[in-house]
Amino acid sequence: MLRLTKEIYFDMVGHCLSGLPDEACGLLVGSYGGDEATHVFLTKNAAASAMVYEIDPTEMLLVDRQAQALGSDIMGVFHSHTHTDAYPSPTDVAQALDPGWHYVLVSLRDTHPVVRSYLITDGVVTEEPVDVPGLGEPEAGEPEAGEPEGSL
Amino acid sequence: MAAEVRLPTVLRAHAGGASVVTLSGATIGEVLGKLVAEYPGMEGQVVQADGSLHKFVNIYVNDDDVRYLQGVDTPVPDGAEISILPAVAGG
């Protein structure tokens, strides 16, 4: 399972939407091999492409140092698919080297972004649940869904 | 020259879980050679059989990517921090 805070979830999805028409990417930081991402780092797609992504190597170094300073590690990566499913492509699988990482896909193909996560070990892809506590619940002080804020 | 080598998570299991190991060598190639000699499980994962860097790793000496210096022949200053980072990419 991968657990994300709502803030991380929205930062991640927002970064993917902002990256359109190209794929966007970023890194998750937390306990390596664990379930919970505590921080997200939004990185550039060095490939600047709608078909492929590459985390800029110097950003990777900087994120690794920040993770180290937090007493954590990079424990996953996310990227968007602009026109396909939230499922790892053959290229994603071939380049997924760390069986302890969470590989998150954000599909922007449909009206609403779809977020799914996978573990990839020696080319074998296993989907895992993504838990975002509080997602879909109104923020404190927000009007309940269905109750218009004002009427004409 | 002694250097601290920071390992990516995927390689730590081969080094008993260590995130940083201290190794010496005059060049990146020498340091990486010692790394693999000490932790044979890393064979082929950092340096390829022909001695060049594996395409799925990026190696930094302090703040500089060795690919833009002299590759495996890049000198290692004493006390340098060497970071081995996975090249993260996909489609």
Side-chain angles (χ1 to χ4, degrees):
Chain A
M1 185 188 65
L2 174 65
R3 184 177 298 117
L4 304 172
T5 64
K6 274 206 289 191
E7 291 72 21
I8 291 177
Y9 180 91
F10 286 126
D11 281 353
M12 186 174 76
V13 172
H15 184 61
C16 290
L17 289 168
S18 305
L20 284 170
D22 290 343
E23 291 192 7
C25 53
L27 295 161
L28 298 172
V29 165
S31 175
Y32 173 65
D35 291 336
E36 189 164 358
T38 55
H39 296 80
V40 65
F41 290 87
L42 310 175
T43 59
K44 281 197 296 278
N45 177 2
S49 159
M51 302 298 292
V52 294
Y53 81 98
E54 179 190 346
I55 305 262
D56 178 81
T58 301
E59 280 196 279
M60 184 78 194
L61 175 71
L62 298 177
V63 173
D64 185 62
R65 286 182 176 164
Q66 291 185 67
Q68 199 176 358
L70 291 163
S72 300
D73 282 301
I74 297 168
M75 47 86 84
V77 58
F78 73 86
H79 77 280
S80 59
H81 280 174
T82 58
H83 290 92
T84 54
D85 275 341
Y87 192 83
S89 66
T91 313
D92 293 332
V93 176
Q95 301 195 34
L97 303 180
D98 198 323
W101 275 20
H102 303 268
Y103 290 89
V104 178
L105 271 295
V106 180
S107 172
L108 305 176
R109 185 188 59 186
D110 300 322
T111 308
H112 295 289
V114 174
V115 177
R116 295 168 74 177
S117 182
Y118 304 87
L119 302 174
I120 303 175
T121 304
D122 294 331
V124 178
V125 179
T126 309
E127 185 166 9
E128 59 175 354
V130 179
D131 181 31
V132 186
L135 188 68
E137 293 169 14
E139 297 284 347
E142 262 184 27
E144 290 288 332
E147 282 182 21
E149 285 183 56
S151 54
L152 294 173
Chain B
M1 298 294 122
E4 295 217 318
V5 182
R6 179 156 166 85
L7 302 173
T9 49
V10 68
L11 293 182
R12 291 180 195 170
H14 299 301
S19 58
V20 178
V21 296
T22 302
L23 293 166
S24 60
T27 63
I28 285 292
E30 280 187 31
V31 170
L32 297 181
K34 285 187 182 169
L35 180 71
V36 173
E38 195 148 333
Y39 308 107
M42 295 186 201
E43 175 106 45
Q45 299 198 56
V46 182
V47 179
Q48 304 183 102
D50 66 1
S52 63
L53 294 177
H54 197 293
K55 66 175 177 174
F56 287 159
V57 296
N58 293 306
I59 297 186
Y60 281 77
V61 174
N62 297 323
D63 294 338
D64 298 312
D65 186 337
V66 302
R67 279 201 176 84
Y68 300 109
L69 298 173
Q70 292 151 262
V72 291
D73 297 324
T74 303
V76 175
D78 198 24
E81 184 185 12
I82 298 173
S83 301
I84 303 175
L85 297 163
V88 183

